[in-house]
Amino acid sequence: MTEPPHHGETATTEVTVVITFVLGAGLGRIAGILTLEVEDDKVPVDALQQVGSQLAMHIVAAKPLFLSKELVSSEAIESERDILKSQAETTGKSQMAIEKMVEGRLRKYLEEVVLLEQKFVINDSINVKSVLNDLSKEVGSSVNIGKFYRMEVGEGIQRLETSGASEVMAQAA
């Protein structure tokens, strides 16, 4: 049970808006889903839905893996760093140059896989974080992405290939 606000305090009500974008006429093969969280319940929902739809479309197009840099596991960063380092070592450059190359490529990797760092597909001169900052200014309240999900029909399904497929077809004929 929450306590009522004390004298001089105001109660804030957080609002969460769920937005989807489905790509593909009719059946839709790819979907982007996200929640926008707003601190003020008096924010115009149409502004949230308009930008939210663009962000959901961005999720479909850009395929982010993480919401923020802080949510990228250290294992994922180390794995990517190892891959980048082995690639950079083939250049024959000095160890200092290799380290700079790896760090630059790691920054680029994070810009590609972290939603808030990605270039916005509708206007690639800004990133998604800037889109949220602009929306927050427009509606007069902090707007954040709570969660996002991208799914594609058939994603994760493995196709079984059997060497006897031609035999089965011959028997069926």
Side-chain angles (χ1 to χ4, degrees), residues 58 62-69 72 77 80 84 103-121 124 126-129:
H58 172 94
K63 302 178 182 179
L65 301 175
F66 307 97
L67 177 60
S68 67
K69 286 193 273 189
V72 180
I77 290 176
E80 190 63 24
L84 294 171
E103 290 310 309
R105 290 178 181 171
L106 192 56
R107 268 193 307 279
K108 183 164 177 42
Y109 167 76
L110 291 173
E111 288 174 6
E112 292 171 0
V113 299
V114 174
L115 177 58
L116 294 175
E117 304 302 320
Q118 288 178 328
K119 298 279 184 209
F120 190 40
V121 294
D124 67 2
I126 59 174
N127 64 15
V128 172
K129 190 186 312 181

Side-chain angles (χ1 to χ4, degrees), residues 85-160:
K85 187 172 184 180
S86 66
Q87 289 172 349
E89 286 172 343
T90 64
T91 63
K93 297 191 178 192
S94 71
Q95 194 60 35
M96 181 182 275
I98 288 172
E99 287 303 315
K100 286 184 179 185
M101 287 170 64
V102 168
E103 290 310 309
R105 290 178 181 171
L106 192 56
R107 268 193 307 279
K108 183 164 177 42
Y109 167 76
L110 291 173
E111 288 174 6
E112 292 171 0
V113 299
V114 174
L115 177 58
L116 294 175
E117 304 302 320
Q118 288 178 328
K119 298 279 184 209
F120 190 40
V121 294
I122 292 174
N123 176 359
D124 67 2
S125 67
I126 59 174
N127 64 15
V128 172
K129 190 186 312 181
S130 297
V131 172
L132 288 174
N133 289 340
D134 292 347
L135 179 60
S136 296
K137 289 175 190 169
E138 179 186 332
V139 299
S141 181
S142 178
V143 180
N144 295 299
I145 296 173
K147 294 182 180 179
F148 76 91
Y149 189 69
R150 181 189 186 277
M151 64 183 127
E152 191 166 342
V153 173
E155 190 173 51
I157 296 175
Q158 301 294 323
R159 293 190 180 179
L160 298 176

